[in-house]
Amino acid sequence: GEVNQEGINFYSELIDSLLEAGIEPWVTLYHWDLPEVLHAKGGWLSKELITGAFGNYARTCFQHFGDRVKHWITLNEPWCSAVLGYNTGDHAPGHTHDKDCEPYIAGHNMLLAHAEAVRIYREDFAKQGGKVGISLNADWRQADTESEEDKLAASRAMEFSLGWFAEPIYLGDYPKCMKEVCKDRLPEFSELEKQMLMGSSDFFGLNSYSGNFAKAPKQPFQGIGYWEDIGVEWWHTDHNWERTDMGWPVVPWSLREILLYVQEKYNPAGGIVITENGCACESEDSAELDKRPG
């Protein structure tokens, strides 16, 4: 479709206002808001459609804002879009009917869309002098015990979450454990696609909020699907840990552990940028308001 000039004007003015206030803009191209018209035509499940559309969208943003924006994030938390959108149904488009395949197809196409946007920037807009990356989400999974089974469970939990999207970009393909378990339900990259993905992030954007203990299940999970494929109990916590208002465990040391893990496993060019972290805690003023009647 045609470029929405009103939208261009809005974001251009916003960027100018940020710069005037001494705030350097870091622009995320996609944060879970797929246009309905694209969803109706297949959305993230249609490789040709979505990579072309996302590439055109990215090019438009680079053209209109790249003279002032020097840090771009292609996708925010593709794990959430893939799993919550195409497995649990908690996020749009709310699919739950093909949870053994659709999350992997959607995630695959998100990676290719990311690679296409980066290709366009590097080939046509490098003179702008900016950097383009991706923000991946994961919480740290610590082995529940020192047993080899629990250590392996923690490793699998990290590879099925962070590694799913990081390894194609930094190591050239999906984690070995995912390929072994999912088999033909996990799409394959062509050699050209692997080349496009490898090194396609100028920094490692990381969103991390918490941590849990992972352990090997006593009995194998039944059925197929993302959670069953992992085959790990990864939600165990310490009852002494504090909780945020969202119910998430407060685990300060988990941020240190996941940063060390990313650095040692991926050694990302451009370093690690923490793009999200923190906790939801109600202020005293807000708590007092909640107590008021009416």
Side-chain angles (χ1 to χ4, degrees):
E2 296 181 2
V3 173
N4 184 328
Q5 190 58 46
E6 186 176 355
I8 294 293
N9 294 342
F10 173 84
Y11 284 107
S12 185
E13 292 172 6
L14 175 60
I15 291 166
D16 286 343
S17 296
L18 289 170
L19 292 171
E20 289 171 5
I23 300 171
E24 182 180 5
W26 284 60
V27 173
T28 298
L29 294 174
Y30 184 80
H31 195 140
W32 310 342
D33 47 357
L34 184 70
E36 175 64 24
V37 66
L38 292 179
H39 167 66
K41 295 179 179 179
W44 288 114
L45 301 178
S46 176
K47 182 168 78 170
E48 289 73 20
L49 168 80
I50 203 66
T51 53
F54 193 78
N56 289 336
Y57 164 57
R59 180 182 296 277
T60 300
C61 292
F62 299 152
Q63 286 174 335
H64 287 88
F65 312 129
D67 58 330
R68 290 158 291 163
V69 174
K70 303 306 174 184
H71 292 90
W72 297 93
I73 296 169
T74 56
L75 305 172
N76 178 76
E77 301 185 350
W79 181 94
C80 288
S81 297
V83 174
L84 305 184
Y86 295 90
N87 179 279
T88 66
D90 294 318
H91 285 191
H95 285 199
T96 60
H97 60 277
D98 193 8
K99 58 182 64 179
D100 56 334
C101 292
E102 282 195 353
Y104 300 121
I105 296 170
H108 189 79
N109 294 337
M110 290 174 199
L111 280 165
L112 295 177
H114 154 80
E116 175 66 3
V118 175
R119 181 194 67 79
I120 289 170
Y121 190 86
R122 291 178 176 176
E123 290 184 1
D124 298 339
F125 298 93
K127 61 182 180 295
Q128 293 180 346
K131 297 183 181 298
V132 187
I134 188 171
S135 285
L136 306 180
N137 67 293
D139 290 335
W140 177 244
R141 308 301 175 182
Q142 180 75 25
D144 190 55
T145 70
E146 288 299 310
S147 72
E148 290 303 314
E149 292 80 7
D150 284 354
K151 289 180 180 178
L152 179 60
S155 176
R156 284 171 61 87
M158 292 304 299
E159 290 187 340
F160 263 89
S161 52
L162 189 64
W164 179 3
F165 295 95
E167 294 208 10
I169 293 172
Y170 291 97
L171 302 180
D173 205 351
Y174 288 122
K176 181 180 178 181
C177 68
M178 291 188 70
K179 296 170 74 171
E180 290 175 345
V181 172
C182 300
K183 295 183 171 59
D184 60 359
R185 291 184 291 114
L186 183 67
E188 294 183 0
F189 296 113
S190 69
E191 288 305 314
L192 178 59
E193 290 168 344
K194 289 180 181 180
Q195 292 173 20
M196 286 181 60
L197 277 163
M198 188 70 175
S200 62
S201 194
D202 294 327
F203 54 86
F204 195 116
L206 177 67
N207 297 353
S208 190
Y209 289 91
S210 187
N212 296 88
F213 291 113
K215 62 190 300 183
K218 294 180 179 179
Q219 298 293 331
F221 292 174
Q222 299 299 312
I224 56 175
Y226 176 74
W227 304 105
E228 293 79 9
D229 292 339
I230 301 173
V232 171
E233 296 180 7
W234 69 354
W235 54 86
H236 297 278
T237 62
D238 187 321
H239 69 277
N240 292 315
W241 288 347
E242 294 182 52
R243 300 270 178 167
T244 70
D245 284 357
M246 296 176 68
W248 295 357
V250 177
V251 194
W253 53 264
S254 69
L255 183 60
R256 177 192 65 231
E257 294 301 322
I258 198 168
L259 287 171
L260 289 171
Y261 175 86
V262 170
Q263 183 60 38
E264 292 171 3
K265 189 173 182 69
Y266 303 116
N267 189 28
I272 306 167
V273 178
I274 299 175
T275 42
E276 286 186 28
N277 177 250
C279 61
C281 297
E282 190 170 33
S283 67
E284 291 184 9
D285 289 342
S286 178
E288 286 299 317
L289 288 173
D290 287 342
K291 295 177 183 177
R292 296 181 183 179

